[in-house]
Each structure stands twice: as structure tokens, then as C-alpha cells.
């Protein structure tokens, strides 16, 4: 199975800061990576698919990049509503899907 | 717009079978591009993919659960279901259903619409 490792496990930042979250795959997953935000008590919400494609309705301050084994989610100009836990998910080894362990983002 | 709603018992006894249904509204469950997945999240933990049922009715499931999982589609009711047999306390989780799309089938799966989730506790 492909393992997904996220770092950091948590980050605290101020409104207006830039936050960067990384996701590393144990094997090459090409560009088949998605990112989700999950607020407490809510279902995950899709942000990015195919490594860098922004889901409709998601603010442009969310940017995804990377390919192969190393991926990044960047939140530019952090907003109060961006708190929550962020998960990456690989989709290269059909049909198996695996998620990263999550990165908790807190607003200072 | 597309909406998904999970339903099922909130409490299941150990060794019994957990059965959940996801009702789909706003789109056809049979549409060619629509596939349907189940994902769970144990208390305080991350997300675990349970399985996917494709619009054709074929299924795939997590190898760690494979022998215990059954996925099915009911096109007449526009809903899909999951059954997990021989449950233990480790199966206690919030269970989500989600639409699964593929950027370039069979690669690039992502879940764009999720249900709100249903909490299932395994306890006697």
C-alpha cells in the first residue's frame, strides 16, 4: 500500500500569513493527489484535485503543487475560516485510495 | 445540487453486521461519471477509505477490510449501501458516503461531495 505522510502535524499562524503543508508519498503517485479541509464536526471539503486543480468555489488563496512523491498545499493570506485539519489523498494505485494523517491549522 | 445523506443504526453490537445506506439526491446514481464511496474516521483519527462502488455496480474495497465489506447500489431508490460484518470496537467511527470522480479514469480519484456523516458505535 502507498503511505502518505504529512508535515507538520500542526501549525499555528496569524491571519494574513502564508501556510505551507507538505505531503509525501511512499511511491510515485504521478499527479494524482487531492487535498481536503475538515472543520471540527464536519465532513471533509475538497479543495484541490489532480495536484493543482482548484475545485469550483474554493478561494484562489489555496494552491496545490507537486508531482511524483512530494506535494504542497499553500494557503496564502490565511483567513479566520481556514482553521481545521487538512488531509491529502492519493489516487494513483487504482482502485485503492489512501489519506495522509492530517495537518491541524490553528489561527493565532 | 447534489446531496448525500447517510442513515443507519448508531449502535451495533460486537460481532454483528453494520449496515449503512446513502441516499443520493440531485443527480442520478447511474450517471456514467458518478462513482460512490464510503470513508470512515475513528475518534480523533484520520480518514480511512472503505470502498468504492462504480456506476456499473462493480466494487472495490480496502484490502484491510475486504473480507468483511459488501457494497451495493439500488438504482430504483437512487441510493447505495455498505455492510461490514463481524464488527469490533475498532470499527467505531464516523462513516461518510461521498461521490467519487476520476480526473482520468482509472487515475485521479477524488471525492467532491460528501454526506454529513453518521456516527456508529460498536458496543454491547
Amino acid at each position: 500500500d502507498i503511505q502518505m505522510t504529512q508535515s507538520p502535524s500542526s501549525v499555528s499562524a496569524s491571519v494574513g500569513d502564508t501556510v505551507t503543508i507538505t505531503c509525501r508519498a511512499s511511491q510515485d503517485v504521478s499527479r494524482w493527489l487531492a487535498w481536503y479541509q475538515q472543520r471540527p464536526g464536519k465532513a471533509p471539503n475538497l479543495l484541490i484535485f489532480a495536484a493543482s486543480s482548484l475545485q469550483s468555489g474554493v478561494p484562489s488563496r489555496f494552491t496545490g503543487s507537486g508531482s511524483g512523491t512530494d506535494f504542497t498545499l499553500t494557503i496564502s493570506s490565511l483567513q479566520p475560516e481556514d482553521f481545521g485539519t487538512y488531509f491529502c489523498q492519493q489516487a494513483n494505485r487504482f482502485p485503492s485510495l489512501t489519506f495522509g494523517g492530517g495537518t491541524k491549522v490553528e489561527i493565532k | 445540487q447534489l446531496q448525500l445523506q447517510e442513515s443507519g443504526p448508531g449502535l451495533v453490537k460486537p460481532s454483528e453486521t453494520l449496515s449503512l445506506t446513502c441516499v443520493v439526491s440531485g443527480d442520478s446514481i447511474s450517471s456514467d461519471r458518478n462513482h460512490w464511496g464510503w470513508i470512515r474516521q475513528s475518534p480523533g483519527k484520520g480518514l480511512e477509505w472503505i470502498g468504492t462502488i462504480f456506476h456499473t455496480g462493480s466494487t472495490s474495497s480496502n484490502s484491510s477490510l475486504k473480507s468483511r465489506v459488501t457494497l451495493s447500489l439500488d438504482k430504483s431508490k437512487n441510493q447505495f449501501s455498505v455492510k461490514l460484518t463481524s464488527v469490533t470496537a475498532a470499527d467505531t467511527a464516523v462513516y461518510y458516503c461521498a461521490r467519487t470522480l476520476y480526473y482520468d479514469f482509472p487515475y485521479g480519484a477524488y471525492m467532491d461531495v460528501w454526506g454529513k456523516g453518521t456516527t456508529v458505535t460498536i458496543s454491547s
Side-chain angles (χ1 to χ4, degrees), chain A residues 32 36 38 42-43 89 91 94-95, chain B residues 41 60 96 106-109 111 115:
Chain A
W32 305 128
Y36 303 85
Q38 184 179 35
K42 300 295 186 182
Q89 170 243 309
F94 179 85
Chain B
Q41 186 169 33
S60 65
Y96 296 100
Y107 302 105
M111 282 72 80

Side-chain angles (χ1 to χ4, degrees), chain B residues 48-122:
Chain B
E48 179 182 29
W49 172 71
I50 297 171
T52 302
I53 184 161
F54 301 94
H55 70 86
T56 57
S58 62
T59 65
S60 65
S61 55
N62 192 317
S63 57
S64 68
L65 302 170
K66 201 163 191 174
S67 61
R68 299 196 291 132
V69 171
T70 302
L71 304 170
S72 60
L73 275 179
D74 186 336
K75 296 180 180 181
S76 67
K77 294 182 179 179
N78 218 44
Q79 64 186 38
F80 61 104
S81 301
V82 61
K83 292 188 178 183
L84 183 64
T85 61
S86 304
V87 297
T88 70
D91 296 309
T92 293
V94 177
Y95 286 76
Y96 296 100
C97 59
R99 181 172 71 172
T100 304
L101 300 179
Y102 283 79
Y103 186 88
D104 186 13
F105 193 89
Y107 302 105
Y110 56 95
M111 282 72 80
D112 71 328
V113 179
W114 296 62
K116 292 182 178 180
T118 187
T119 300
V120 178
T121 301
I122 310 301

